[in-house]
Amino acid sequence: MMCTGAIDPVYVIKALVGGADAVLIAGCHPGDCHYSEGNYKARRHVAQLKSILEETGFDPERIWLRWISASEGKLFAETIAEMTQAIRAIGPTPVRQALVV
Amino acid sequence: MSVFGKWPVKNGDVLEAVRRLLIHLLEVELVVAVLVPVETKNGRSVMPTLIRDPDQIARANPLLPVLPINGARMASLITRYRSVSNGKYPANGRIAVVMRPCELRATVELAKLRQVDYASLLTVGVDCLGTYEITDWQAMESESAEYFDSILDAMNRADPESPLDRPYRQACKICATPVAWNVDMNLHFIGVNGREGILVETTGESLLTSLGLTTVADPLTHQEAVRDVVEVRQNRRHSALDIASARLQAGTDGMPGLTKIFENCQRCLNCTVACPICYCKTCLFRTETFNHRPEHYLEWADRKGAARLPGDAITFQLTRFIHISASCIGCGLCTSACPASIPVDTIFQAVGRQTQALFDYIPGRDLEEPLPATTYREEEFANLGETVE
């Protein structure tokens, strides 16, 4: 995606109910947006998505938002390692087995 | 600043008085047309009707306790392209919309979504303690001669319960907004003996004057009656939504409650048709996006052993939560429309309660309050996205 602000939550939802154990949304740091406010809006959208997932019985900890700019390769690698470890600790998503998705 | 007046009722005929008031609005050219529920020929239901000819007001009945469709959608139909009016009608002429509080709240939300030209409307609210499922109402048809008295009496004594044999629609039972917010004119019946006169509230004195009315003192019995009924309904609403929230939580198998509640969802889209807020002309779920290639279904059945069809029901509902939950005004027409008898609106209102609290947003209250998805504050959710949340 060109900008986290352009992420339609349906992509994240589709991945989660399709059986993905977690979804990482990574984008430019607040204040660094090329479109000036895209990531601020994205943060709001993610806050809402996490709230809705929590309210409907999904684990909101399976959604990760991290500010990682295009030049921060090391941070990206570290985040992926951290995330893999954290999600492994939570275990596989039960939704994978659900017939009604 | 709102002011109150008393619209005269002759011989206890409240409907005649309401109709006379609407005719008056047309005759003094306060409005160029009136959008109001009009009784269908068999008198067993109403449909929103746009009226230019005062003679056609004769069958208007904004008090018949059914809501076949949320009128906000009609307000959108008749005003959304108002700026390209062909000049035949007065360009600045407003249309009076006579609606229940939930319809008017939906109208405010649609205006924020630029689907209603709010400046074209003269909003007229009618107090409402509840409506019936049309099937229930029609089953009670034999009582319809007396329904009107029962409904008026129930409003007069601010009864939170249905005065007739059948219950109100589920959404109405837990509705804590029996009086419309921030409208140009309100016709009050709660805590009022409507047969002696309709309590009219207007924003500003000029509208009251153009009705030929003088101001009366603040009607304390009405205000107290509304407070009482709102309190009862608010408690009931919180209990009902707490129960829904508990049902939504994951079961011992870790499966989200949502997947159980919407087990019977056939993704027919009836809820999106009935929902006044769900307006998108380019809805993703009306495209081929979720009609996958045939071999994919076999792959999914292979992976899990079976695949429930048509599938994507939970994706569909979660997406609707994203789009609608901030703006859900709780009219409950989604539940009425659901062929699988899923309590759609209770679930949406439970989720909506969380979303609305998250953004400190009350749908349908104030045209100036921006939709949560269209705005942000730099300092909010500061921990979200940082390495340590």
Side-chain angles (χ1 to χ4, degrees), chain B residues 36-50:
Chain B
V36 61
V38 167
E39 288 175 11
T40 50
K41 282 272 156 57
N42 62 15
R44 294 164 72 185
S45 187
V46 285
M47 280 303 278
T49 304
L50 184 64

Side-chain angles (χ1 to χ4, degrees), chain B residues 368-381:
Chain B
E368 302 305 319
E369 245 175 307
L371 289 167
T374 61
T375 185
Y376 67 92
R377 285 179 295 116
E378 283 186 19
E379 65 279 11
E380 69 184 0
F381 310 120

